[in-house]
Amino acid sequence: MATKKKEPQYKIDKARGILTYLFGLSGLINILALTGAFYMLQIYDRALASGSISTLIALSVLAIGLYLFQGVFDILRSQILVRLGAKMDTTLAPLTHQVVVEMPRYGYSTAEAAERGRDVDTLRSFLGGQGPIALFDLPWIPIYLVFVWLLHPVLGMLTLGGATVLACLTILAEVLTRRHAHTMIKAAVTRNAVLDSNTRNSEVLHAMGMTQRAVDRFERANRYHLEHQTKTSDIGGTLSGLSKVLRMMLQSAILGLGAYLAIGGELSAGAIVAASIVTSRALAPVDLAIAQWKSVVSARRSYNRIQETLAVLNGKEEFIPLPEPKESLRIEGLTTVAPSTGAVLLSEVGFELKAGQALGLIGPSGGGKTTLVKSLLGIWPALRGSVRIDGADLGQWNADFFRDHVGYLPQDVALMDGTISDNICRFAEEPDPRKIILAAKAAGIHDMIVHLREGYQTELGPNGTALSAGQRQRVALARALYSDPFLVVLDEPNSNLDAEGEEALTTAILSVRRRGGIVVIIAHRPSALQAVDMVGLMQGGKLTSFGPKETLLQTKAKPLAVEKSFGDSHRPRSTAAE
């Protein structure tokens, strides 16, 4: 099938025009910042010398006008930076979040994914702070050095020496901060991972008396993070304080040296004050840059990671939309490894299902059933082999295929914070009420929903806590059946169901088969296999048996491995002792 390279959805380089404009605006602001020095120079050397009130008034009016222009341009620059950050957030946040959502599939922890998701916030906050202003002002320091040099070369050399020392402090801040920044980030990810784990398992921690141990574990991770954060802050704080002291010393040195030159008749009184003002203004961006260096480092790191994130999206290929699937599902030599460890979990699995068939996967725990399901849905990328729908590799189907033609019920159900109808229709922007009700009826849960006080608009809360485990599983089954998908994958769909729920499940599977869909179901209880016609036995990551249910599960010659896959759950309970 022909493909085309996906066009980049957004490039941060688009902001270069705005940044160039801000650089020029910063130059104008820095030139106007010389107003105070020129004003003092003219006051001392012209107005006072001539004793002219009109000259004083004219100079003051001119200075006020220039100050107003500088203030307006400064406000304009600040507002442009804030809006640039908001624009980047609006454009980049959804794209970054798309990658963040998929990161756990590739072995990243949720804490690592969350850290990547905060990069846009970090960059936006940086653009709205003082860091960019310092960076924009730094290149214009030579304006002030030239001005002081024109007043007197000796003062210019002294100012240049002070600026060089402060520049060295900035470089030192970069070198020392970088040593701890990477470790600090890893420590933050570890701490957030513990926090996330404790939050998700709060009920277990309370019920088994593990809360204090969990808190202690978090405290150790938090202490390690704080140690490196403190070191980084100490570096910035120490160098910032040192730069302030050096700047004040340099200003005093300029005044003292200027007075010496004035006594010798080489400098006027106005030039002394002007040199002091300009020197202070020249070194202010360096001082501010050192104080903001921690945020500069964080923003640069976030910028680089956002670029990596966009590169992932821009590297994807977009395939020509294919016709709706309606024929087959074929697995060819599928081999899958665990994303986090690289351990082989699935090896050379292959089978084919035609429209209207249902496959029940059985086998011992750890045999590879769930891994197979995640692989055929593309949740875990395959190392080798392929999954083909109507002959086309899974990678050739666009995202709309999974939204419109795949239904999935995972082990952990995974309902989202929203209403029952939101979850069933998969948070469609324009949900079809008829399809929602049909899906609920197919899952046998319509009557239960309408008996709730808010009906389909009942808010489920985080993870669907407003419902029982069985109710959550049946709502998730309705979500999997919404809009009559071609491929329905169910991972232990009856683990929390009562007899009524299992009957509804069987009816739903038969309904999918009758309309020409394909069902793949992981079963640990024989009742889940009532509506399937094919059975596969998974052992040690391999599909050791595959065939019609009647052949594989025949009563008289049932293989021992199949017997063990269900344990005693399928045997009739003895009544001898009752």
Side-chain angles (χ1 to χ4, degrees), residues 5 40 149 240 263 279 367 384 406 488 510 513 534 540 550 571:
K5 198 69 173 180
M40 297 306 297
W149 194 286
S240 178
I263 292 173
T279 301
R384 291 190 302 272
V406 174
V488 179
L510 290 173
R513 293 183 59 189
M534 304 294 290
E550 292 76 12
R571 296 173 183 165

Side-chain angles (χ1 to χ4, degrees), residues 25 28 43 80 82 116 122 151 168 175-176 204 221 242 267 276 296 303 320 329 392 413 415 477 548 556:
L25 186 62
L28 187 57
I43 288 293
I80 290 175
V82 170
R116 182 66 66 95
T122 300
L151 292 176
C168 290
V175 173
L176 296 179
V204 174
L242 185 58
L267 201 67
S276 176
V296 172
Y303 172 84
I320 295 176
L329 165 69
V413 178
L415 294 180
L477 175 61
K556 295 183 179 180

Side-chain angles (χ1 to χ4, degrees), residues 3 55 76 172 210 234 259 265 287 341 371 421 464 481:
T3 65
T55 301
L76 181 62
L172 184 62
M210 297 168 58
D234 283 346
D287 191 25
T341 64
T371 300
S421 63
L481 299 173

Side-chain angles (χ1 to χ4, degrees), residues 305-431:
R305 291 198 301 196
I306 289 173
Q307 289 284 56
E308 294 173 2
T309 300
L310 296 181
V312 171
L313 292 176
N314 294 338
K316 289 185 176 181
E317 293 183 335
E318 189 175 276
F319 289 80
I320 295 176
L322 299 173
E324 291 189 2
K326 56 183 179 180
E327 296 179 2
S328 65
L329 165 69
R330 187 165 75 251
I331 310 296
E332 300 176 339
L334 194 63
T335 299
T336 305
V337 299
S340 56
T341 64
V344 177
L345 302 180
L346 205 66
S347 179
E348 298 296 330
V349 173
F351 61 86
E352 183 174 8
L353 296 175
K354 297 293 186 180
Q357 289 189 310
L359 168 66
L361 291 173
I362 61 175
S365 297
K369 301 183 297 298
T370 297
T371 300
L372 175 57
V373 162
K374 290 184 176 181
S375 299
L376 70 86
L377 290 175
I379 298 174
W380 284 2
L383 180 65
R384 291 190 302 272
S386 62
V387 177
R388 297 187 177 276
I389 307 290
D390 287 4
D393 186 85
L394 194 64
Q396 297 182 26
W397 295 89
N398 293 328
D400 292 349
F401 164 74
F402 294 94
R403 185 188 65 202
D404 300 332
H405 304 297
V406 174
Y408 176 44
L409 171 56
Q411 280 183 342
D412 59 1
V413 178
L415 294 180
M416 300 177 68
D417 194 351
T419 65
I420 290 178
S421 63
D422 288 337
N423 276 272
I424 292 177
C425 73
R426 309 179 187 185
F427 288 84
E429 293 183 2
E430 298 181 1

Side-chain angles (χ1 to χ4, degrees), residues 124-418:
R124 186 196 66 245
S125 299
F126 172 75
L127 289 173
Q130 294 295 309
I133 294 176
L135 297 180
F136 278 123
D137 286 344
L138 278 174
W140 299 104
I141 289 179
I143 292 178
Y144 306 106
L145 296 179
V146 170
F147 181 86
V148 177
W149 194 286
L150 291 175
L151 292 176
H152 199 286
V154 176
L155 294 178
M157 287 188 288
L158 179 59
T159 304
L160 178 60
T164 302
V165 171
L166 291 180
C168 290
L169 288 179
T170 305
I171 296 172
L172 184 62
E174 162 68 12
V175 173
L176 296 179
T177 303
R178 186 180 297 179
R179 290 174 54 190
H180 297 283
H182 183 67
T183 305
M184 184 178 68
I185 294 171
K186 291 181 63 177
V189 170
T190 301
R191 181 196 62 174
N192 293 337
V194 175
L195 175 62
D196 179 66
S197 176
N198 290 350
T199 303
R200 285 186 292 104
N201 297 287
S202 60
E203 296 180 1
V204 174
L205 296 177
H206 173 76
M208 302 183 69
M210 297 168 58
T211 301
Q212 188 56 50
R213 292 181 181 178
V215 172
D216 292 342
R217 183 168 172 245
F218 171 79
E219 193 274 333
R220 287 192 296 271
N222 189 52
R223 189 189 312 123
Y224 182 71
H225 171 254
L226 289 177
E227 287 176 0
H228 289 278
Q229 187 181 51
T230 301
K231 290 178 181 178
T232 304
S233 299
D234 283 346
I235 292 170
T238 301
L239 294 178
S240 178
L242 185 58
S243 69
K244 289 180 181 179
V245 171
L246 291 176
R247 185 158 61 89
M248 289 188 291
M249 290 175 61
L250 181 60
Q251 284 184 258
S252 298
I254 289 291
L255 288 172
L257 182 58
Y260 173 79
L261 294 173
I263 292 173
E266 299 182 39
L267 201 67
S268 67
I272 298 175
V273 179
S276 176
I277 294 174
V278 173
T279 301
S280 174
R281 185 64 180 84
L283 301 180
V286 181
D287 191 25
L288 183 60
I290 293 175
Q292 296 289 322
W293 201 252
K294 182 179 177 181
S295 65
V296 172
V297 172
S298 297
R300 184 180 61 196
R301 182 175 61 247
S302 296
Y303 172 84
N304 291 334
R305 291 198 301 196
I306 289 173
Q307 289 284 56
E308 294 173 2
T309 300
L310 296 181
V312 171
L313 292 176
N314 294 338
K316 289 185 176 181
E317 293 183 335
E318 189 175 276
F319 289 80
I320 295 176
L322 299 173
E324 291 189 2
K326 56 183 179 180
E327 296 179 2
S328 65
L329 165 69
R330 187 165 75 251
I331 310 296
E332 300 176 339
L334 194 63
T335 299
T336 305
V337 299
S340 56
T341 64
V344 177
L345 302 180
L346 205 66
S347 179
E348 298 296 330
V349 173
F351 61 86
E352 183 174 8
L353 296 175
K354 297 293 186 180
Q357 289 189 310
L359 168 66
L361 291 173
I362 61 175
S365 297
K369 301 183 297 298
T370 297
T371 300
L372 175 57
V373 162
K374 290 184 176 181
S375 299
L376 70 86
L377 290 175
I379 298 174
W380 284 2
L383 180 65
R384 291 190 302 272
S386 62
V387 177
R388 297 187 177 276
I389 307 290
D390 287 4
D393 186 85
L394 194 64
Q396 297 182 26
W397 295 89
N398 293 328
D400 292 349
F401 164 74
F402 294 94
R403 185 188 65 202
D404 300 332
H405 304 297
V406 174
Y408 176 44
L409 171 56
Q411 280 183 342
D412 59 1
V413 178
L415 294 180
M416 300 177 68
D417 194 351

Side-chain angles (χ1 to χ4, degrees), residues 465-477:
T465 51
L467 303 178
S468 69
Q471 290 172 330
R472 290 198 297 271
Q473 195 160 39
R474 292 174 73 177
V475 169
L477 175 61

